[in-house]
Amino acid sequence: MKQAFNTQEAHDLIDFRERPQIEMILNSVQRGLVVRRSELLTRENNKGNDLPIRLRVPMFPAVSALFLARASLVLSNPIDPMFGTINGYFLRLSDHHGAYKDITGLPAFISLFSSSSDSSLQAQKERLWALELLRDGTVDEYSYKIASRRYAPTLLFTSFDSLACCYPSPGDDDREKNLLIETIETILNSGGRYAAIHMMRMGLLPWIRGVLAGRHFSLSLHTLSIRFSFLKLISTALDLMDKTDPTSELAEYILIEISGLFKSIVHLYFDTIQSNLIDRHGERMNQSYTDFCGAIYKLLHTINLLALNCRERINGDFGLSSSTANGIEISVACSILSETSTNEMWRAKVVSSIVVLPFRVDSSKDLSLTKKFCISLLSSVVRDDSDIWNQTLVFLLRRISLLSVLAGETIRDDPDIISLILSCQLRCMQVSALSEWKECLISLLSVENLPGFLDEIGNQSVISFLQQLS
């Protein structure tokens, strides 16, 4: 192709005005390939090895190839807003007579994303161009490693935090915020297991919780479309973490983080419902409200699956045998259970998440809600016969047993709770949770009611047990 550009016919074409710019790119890439091959030969010769066949022709990462393709289109159109910026990038290449040395790098991303243009409009165009390059060019784990070596994930987090502090201007179309979230979600998804572990170490989950719980919450996620994009990012992050096969120590960390994330998602849910972002009684109610609730409940179910996965890797009853500082408050749990009372399918998923995650009881308000909370949990089991309880019923019973110790007389010997516990006996037998059922029932009965029942529970029907109870 380079030879074709140097022919007399190419020079004589009057309409081929973009030839000098395209030729500049080709010359730069050719020199870059020569430099790259020379560097590889030197490195291998120093080791006493021959250059492997796979390295004799350097391979372009997707992000580098995409940059060259889009740069060619830009330089073919002098009226393109990015023409001056991209043209300047190649003109500034001085090493080895203008060699393109970003073959295995992230070309122009830092300079574009941190644009120094005097025009704020031009600076935003350059940032958007850089974000689209990163989003579309990160297609696999190798591409993600290149982006991470240039600290791209950290830059994206910081940039979003900066935008969160800015009041949205009239007519702001939120392109940059949406594109930032979309780019983070895309590179995380494309980078696979490596990206999930790396971004988790970079503080992805604390950053997400910080956005949802920060004082600029209403500014950073001020439209419904941005909130949908953010929910998609959270869902992608949790799905990938569920596939990382975490160690016991890492599983405890994830469990604590998603407990805080659960509370933040509940906060997002109520803030959205109570704001004017969704008209629950208008024409848009059926579409936007239903879609948003569906996205929230699906995310809570994902949290449940991830929590169960972490539980299998944790030694002991972490967050189950006691109240933890980072757990879910009973008041928060009761609020969302009340909101999902009309949808049995999603209610079951929410309950499953609540009983698996660590929880916290640290106020008289929480203790006063204990009875309501226990009845809500048990009622969900009694009313719903889906398979969702196969894994979580054991955790539900342990949670109620612990609450009976913490709440004391608030729920002990309560006929409504005991009746619901008795109604769960058959379900507990089906999922091999009968021993937890017995322990839960015993914990709810006072000492004076225990004699005569311990030997009967295992081999008497519920009817017989109720007759003895009366």
Side-chain angles (χ1 to χ4, degrees):
M1 180 180 289
K2 184 176 180 298
Q3 292 179 347
F5 271 78
N6 288 323
T7 61
Q8 187 62 41
E9 289 81 357
H11 284 269
D12 293 340
L13 287 174
I14 300 177
D15 295 334
F16 195 13
R17 297 179 180 178
E18 63 272 19
R19 185 192 64 80
Q21 276 70 36
I22 301 301
E23 186 177 10
M24 175 181 64
I25 294 178
L26 292 175
N27 288 333
S28 180
V29 172
Q30 183 186 46
R31 295 187 183 105
L33 290 172
V34 172
V35 171
R36 176 63 176 167
R37 189 169 187 273
S38 175
E39 291 174 346
L40 293 174
L41 279 171
T42 302
R43 186 183 68 187
E44 294 300 322
N45 289 337
N46 289 338
K47 296 180 180 179
N49 301 326
D50 293 331
L51 186 65
I53 295 177
R54 63 182 178 84
L55 296 179
R56 292 178 184 177
V57 179
M59 300 295 293
F60 280 79
V63 66
S64 183
L66 184 64
F67 169 77
L68 292 172
R70 292 185 175 177
S72 300
L73 293 175
V74 168
L75 295 183
S76 299
N77 182 17
I79 63 173
D80 192 294
M82 294 295 297
F83 180 87
T85 303
I86 300 301
N87 192 49
Y89 168 80
F90 284 99
L91 291 176
R92 285 192 297 270
L93 297 177
S94 56
D95 291 348
H96 303 284
H97 305 285
Y100 175 71
K101 298 184 66 177
D102 278 329
I103 292 176
T104 57
L106 200 58
F109 178 79
I110 300 298
S111 59
L112 292 175
F113 193 66
S114 306
S115 175
S116 58
S117 174
D118 294 333
S119 169
S120 60
L121 184 60
Q122 178 62 25
Q124 185 187 47
K125 289 179 180 178
E126 293 178 8
R127 289 196 302 272
L128 293 175
W129 201 88
L131 285 172
E132 290 173 349
L133 173 68
L134 182 62
R135 178 197 63 189
D136 300 336
T138 307
V139 297
D140 52 21
E141 184 176 304
Y142 179 49
S143 302
Y144 179 84
K145 288 181 178 179
I146 291 175
S148 64
R149 286 201 296 266
R150 299 297 187 273
Y151 306 102
T154 305
L155 285 172
L156 298 181
F157 294 162
T158 305
S159 180
F160 189 88
D161 290 339
S162 299
L163 287 176
C165 300
C166 302
Y167 285 90
S169 58
D172 186 3
D173 57 7
D174 300 315
R175 283 183 300 165
E176 191 166 356
K177 281 185 181 178
N178 272 317
L179 188 54
L180 273 168
I181 297 173
E182 186 180 345
T183 302
I184 295 172
E185 191 269 333
T186 300
I187 67 173
L188 176 63
N189 195 29
S190 300
R193 185 176 184 273
Y194 177 86
I197 295 176
H198 178 263
M199 292 188 76
M200 187 159 53
R201 290 174 177 171
M202 296 292 293
L204 175 62
L205 290 180
W207 174 76
I208 290 175
R209 287 200 296 112
V211 172
L212 293 176
R215 60 190 181 93
H216 298 293
F217 167 74
S218 59
L219 299 179
S220 57
L221 305 175
H222 65 282
T223 67
L224 196 59
S225 63
I226 293 179
R227 295 190 179 196
F228 270 117
S229 298
F230 205 74
L231 289 176
K232 184 180 178 183
L233 166 62
I234 299 173
S235 180
T236 298
L238 296 181
D239 284 338
L240 286 172
M241 288 178 187
D242 194 29
K243 300 174 183 177
T244 58
D245 193 23
T247 61
S248 176
E249 183 178 352
L250 184 58
E252 288 188 9
Y253 166 77
I254 294 176
L255 201 56
I256 291 176
E257 287 296 331
I258 61 178
S259 295
L261 187 58
F262 181 95
K263 294 185 289 184
S264 298
I265 292 172
V266 172
H267 172 60
L268 174 66
Y269 173 82
F270 284 113
D271 181 84
T272 305
I273 298 304
Q274 294 167 5
S275 67
N276 58 2
L277 296 178
I278 295 180
D279 182 8
R280 297 184 65 173
H281 305 289
E283 295 180 358
R284 297 180 299 159
M285 184 268 185
N286 288 337
Q287 184 65 40
S288 58
Y289 176 68
T290 303
D291 289 349
F292 183 76
C293 290
I296 289 286
Y297 298 148
K298 180 181 179 181
L299 192 53
L300 295 181
H301 180 55
T302 302
I303 288 178
N304 170 245
L305 296 179
L306 178 56
L308 286 171
N309 187 16
C310 291
R311 288 279 176 211
E312 293 177 358
R313 290 162 173 77
I314 294 176
N315 298 321
D317 293 337
F318 176 77
L320 290 177
S321 58
S322 63
S323 172
T324 59
N326 294 312
I328 303 167
E329 298 93 335
I330 290 181
S331 56
V332 173
C334 286
S335 296
I336 195 168
L337 287 174
S338 176
E339 190 69 28
T340 59
S341 59
T342 58
N343 190 322
E344 290 297 332
M345 179 183 67
W346 289 115
R347 181 182 177 84
K349 294 180 178 180
V350 170
V351 170
S352 297
S353 298
I354 290 173
V355 299
V356 175
L357 295 170
F359 79 114
R360 182 174 69 185
V361 179
D362 61 354
S363 67
S364 57
K365 180 182 179 182
D366 284 338
L367 290 176
S368 65
L369 291 171
T370 303
K371 178 179 178 180
K372 176 184 177 182
F373 179 61
C374 292
I375 291 177
S376 296
L377 297 182
L378 293 168
S379 298
S380 300
V381 178
V382 173
R383 292 196 303 242
D384 182 27
D385 58 354
S386 64
D387 295 336
I388 195 170
W389 304 110
N390 292 356
Q391 291 179 289
T392 56
L393 187 53
V394 169
F395 297 108
L396 186 150
L397 294 170
R398 290 180 184 176
R399 181 61 44 86
I400 295 177
S401 296
L402 177 56
L403 287 173
S404 68
V405 176
L406 296 176
E409 297 179 357
T410 305
I411 62 173
R412 193 166 295 156
D413 293 328
D414 185 90
D416 296 328
I417 297 178
I418 292 176
S419 176
L420 288 169
I421 287 287
L422 293 172
S423 300
C424 297
Q425 186 189 34
L426 181 59
R427 175 65 64 84
C428 293
M429 292 176 64
Q430 294 171 344
V431 299
S432 302
L434 196 57
S435 61
E436 285 79 10
W437 177 81
K438 293 178 182 178
E439 292 175 5
C440 183
L441 182 58
I442 292 171
S443 68
L444 291 168
L445 289 169
S446 300
V447 177
E448 57 269 20
N449 290 328
L450 287 178
F453 297 129
L454 297 182
D455 295 333
E456 306 291 338
I457 294 174
N459 52 33
Q460 294 289 332
S461 66
V462 173
I463 295 177
S464 174
F465 182 72
L466 285 172
Q467 288 175 346
Q468 294 188 37
L469 184 64
S470 62

